[in-house]
Amino acid sequence: MEGRVMSNNKGFSLIEIMISLVVLLVIFMGLMQGALVAIDSNMRDNLREEAISIANTQMLTARDMSFAALLAGTFSIPPINKNFRNMPPFPFTATREVNDLDANNKEVIITVSWTWKGPVYSHSVASIVRNPAA
């Protein structure tokens, strides 16, 4: 008895489907890694922008002080906590350094630092304050 074998070339084989799924998995894993890097970079940028804002605010506070009240030395500013997205308050630390340049000029340096995923980042702002009586 002669049987006729029907050849069905329609559709995909199981191996072709498995290979395409592995290729799609590799592509999606790369896209997810790119998204995670972008989110981390965005958060670092947000933290840096907030540190810049804190440094500018602290510099304005120092510039509003009387010339005699700006004593030479390095002083710690109490920790500043800021809220970001859905995170608990994020701590920033700041210091104010005052250097006497001469009798009528002082240099004020504000440094804000923060820790994000291990490394410590910092931002500094410097200004010269002149004695208004001079």
Side-chain angles (χ1 to χ4, degrees), residues 32-87:
M32 286 297 294
Q33 183 63 29
L36 291 174
V37 167
I39 289 168
D40 185 56
S41 176
N42 188 21
M43 190 62 184
R44 275 195 325 264
D45 289 344
N46 286 338
L47 291 171
R48 187 182 70 237
E49 286 175 13
E50 192 60 39
I52 291 169
S53 173
I54 291 168
N56 288 335
T57 301
Q58 293 299 321
M59 181 60 75
L60 289 173
T61 302
R63 291 178 64 90
D64 285 343
M65 295 172 71
S66 68
F67 188 78
L70 288 172
L71 302 175
T74 302
F75 304 96
S76 257
I77 297 169
I80 300 157
N81 293 317
K82 295 290 184 169
N83 292 326
F84 285 96
R85 298 182 182 166
N86 295 329
M87 291 176 45

